[in-house]
Amino acid sequence: MHLGSLKVFCDVARRRSFSQAAHANEITQSAVSQIVSQLERRMDAQLIDRSTRPLQLTALGQAFYQGCKALVVQYDELEASIRSACAEVAGTVQVAAIYSVGLSDMGQYVQRFAARQPKAQVRIDYLHPDQVVHRVLEGSADLGLVSFPRKSPNLAAVPWRDEEMVLVCSPKHPLAAHLAVRPEALDGENYVHFDRNLVIRRRIDAFLRKQNVAVDVTCEFDNIENIKQAVAIGAGVALLPEPTLRREVQARTLIARPLFDCRLVRPLGIIHRRQRLSAAARLFLELLLEDSRVPVQPNGTPVAIPHKMTADSNQHRTGAKRNGKRQKRNGSI
């Protein structure tokens, strides 16, 4: 039995017309009638009641239609996936990213993508968070890389990775001598903060309030690079994502210390319009997610999960004896 015959039968069953099925398959009405008759002879059963207008399926015809429909759909999907895999992907993937998504970090993704898809390319623009969202919404960017991704009616938000927040200070600062820093050690410290309009500013402020810590904000910036420069010249300390500090830590221009007995993270995510992505953009998105263990739906689409900054305190897990020793260290290690 030829799969094309099953498709013709499904078109007759769906349209309730031999002539419309003939038009859909670009064959004659007589050919459609012959195909259906051959199927009925093979099944030894009447599948279509021709005495009614429009045509009606018999009970056996309805059961046969349901089974054939599933087979045809499955074959069409298989054929489309094979054709897609064989076709060379071309075009440009436009990516808008916040400043703190490192150039070197994204560079390795771009290189891997170029090796897999030599006829496609990726262009990355580094922008203010609000501009990233605007670019994606207006369609001038296929993907947006942002912190604290938030889905909306027009945007899907896919979690990408969590970045540990650490205390950063100049090498001459007293806290630089410790291996880790308790949040309370920041109380009263000069602090270089994010701009008040940024989500990360509000999340850090909430974290500090939860820890009963008050800092003296000396200056505010809307990007991490300026904050790092201010910290390096001694304007204060800051809480920043650890991956954004690796170059300065290696050069010993800044010191990064983990927070002790609590956790603070900056979630990064990928946003895109809810309309269908181009083949190149979809493949680059899949590449970005390869190492992140993001859950996917059965059809391979990433599950969009809203992220929240976490600040988990585990003070009750520490024994009284260990607490006593640590208290002698003036709140820091």
Side-chain angles (χ1 to χ4, degrees):
M1 186 182 300
H2 197 278
L3 193 64
S5 298
L6 300 184
K7 182 180 183 303
V8 170
F9 172 76
C10 288
D11 286 337
V12 173
R14 182 169 54 253
R15 301 168 188 271
R16 298 292 194 267
S17 168
F18 284 102
S19 61
Q20 291 184 26
H23 179 74
N25 291 273
E26 298 182 344
I27 57 178
T28 65
Q29 184 172 336
S30 175
V32 172
S33 180
Q34 291 177 23
I35 289 172
V36 174
S37 296
Q38 288 172 1
L39 289 175
E40 289 179 321
R41 286 195 297 271
R42 184 181 180 89
M43 297 294 107
D44 194 23
Q46 183 179 356
L47 303 177
I48 295 179
D49 183 357
R50 296 166 175 79
S51 65
T52 62
R53 288 294 183 273
L55 301 176
Q56 296 294 323
L57 295 176
T58 64
L60 291 176
Q62 183 65 36
F64 187 66
Y65 168 61
Q66 293 300 327
C68 290
K69 181 172 65 173
L71 289 173
V72 171
V73 169
Q74 186 177 7
Y75 178 79
D76 287 343
E77 291 177 348
L78 175 61
E79 185 179 45
S81 66
I82 296 299
R83 290 182 182 276
S84 176
C86 292
E88 287 190 290
V89 175
T92 300
V93 183
Q94 300 285 351
V95 179
I98 56 177
Y99 298 116
S100 56
V101 176
L103 284 168
S104 60
D105 189 23
M106 291 307 300
Q108 58 97 4
Y109 285 111
V110 172
Q111 291 175 4
R112 287 164 59 187
F113 186 72
R116 297 182 186 183
Q117 308 296 337
K119 289 194 174 182
Q121 58 180 335
V122 178
R123 176 179 175 179
I124 304 176
D125 292 326
Y126 291 91
L127 306 164
H128 185 277
D130 291 341
Q131 291 177 301
V132 172
V133 175
H134 177 70
R135 287 280 188 93
V136 176
L137 281 172
E138 72 174 8
S140 61
D142 301 297
L143 304 173
L145 307 180
V146 296
S147 60
F148 308 96
R150 302 178 70 177
K151 61 182 180 180
S152 70
N154 297 317
L155 291 179
V158 182
W160 184 22
R161 67 191 185 201
D162 285 343
E163 296 182 334
E164 201 79 21
M165 301 284 285
V166 296
L167 184 281
V168 57
C169 61
S170 73
K172 297 179 180 180
H173 195 282
L175 292 177
H178 302 289
L179 298 179
V181 177
R182 288 181 179 274
E184 53 264 35
L186 303 182
D187 195 47
E189 285 285 341
N190 288 341
Y191 193 91
V192 183
H193 219 328
F194 286 95
D195 187 273
R196 295 175 184 271
N197 295 323
L198 296 178
V199 176
I200 192 170
R201 166 65 180 265
R202 298 193 291 271
R203 299 302 174 87
I204 291 176
D205 284 345
F207 169 77
L208 293 175
R209 285 195 300 270
K210 185 175 181 180
Q211 302 296 327
N212 295 317
V213 170
V215 295
D216 184 9
V217 178
T218 58
C219 45
E220 303 174 359
F221 299 100
D222 67 355
N223 66 84
I224 288 178
E225 290 304 313
N226 286 346
I227 292 178
K228 289 191 294 186
Q229 292 176 24
V231 172
I233 63 174
V237 301
L239 292 172
L240 294 176
E242 184 275 333
T244 68
L245 300 164
R246 291 172 183 169
R247 183 180 66 241
E248 291 80 9
V249 169
Q250 186 175 8
R252 299 291 296 177
T253 58
L254 289 175
I255 301 297
R257 294 292 180 249
L259 295 174
F260 178 74
D261 214 18
C262 63
R263 185 167 184 259
L264 187 65
V265 300
R266 179 181 76 156
L268 293 181
I270 306 166
I271 59 174
H272 63 83
R273 295 181 305 284
R274 293 189 178 276
Q275 294 90 334
R276 185 178 181 85
L277 288 170
S278 68
R282 175 177 53 79
L283 289 174
F284 189 66
L285 172 61
E286 292 174 359
L287 174 62
L288 291 174
L289 298 177
E290 279 183 0
D291 304 324
S292 64
R293 295 187 179 183
V294 172
V296 296
Q297 299 176 16
N299 63 1
T301 303
V303 177
I305 304 174
H307 263 306
K308 293 182 180 179
M309 174 177 272
T310 59
D312 302 321
S313 176
N314 301 311
Q315 295 178 0
H316 296 295
R317 296 190 303 174
T318 307
K321 182 177 180 180
R322 292 173 62 192
N323 278 338
K325 291 181 179 179
R326 287 170 183 147
Q327 288 172 358
K328 296 179 181 180
R329 300 180 185 179
N330 297 323
S332 303
I333 291 179

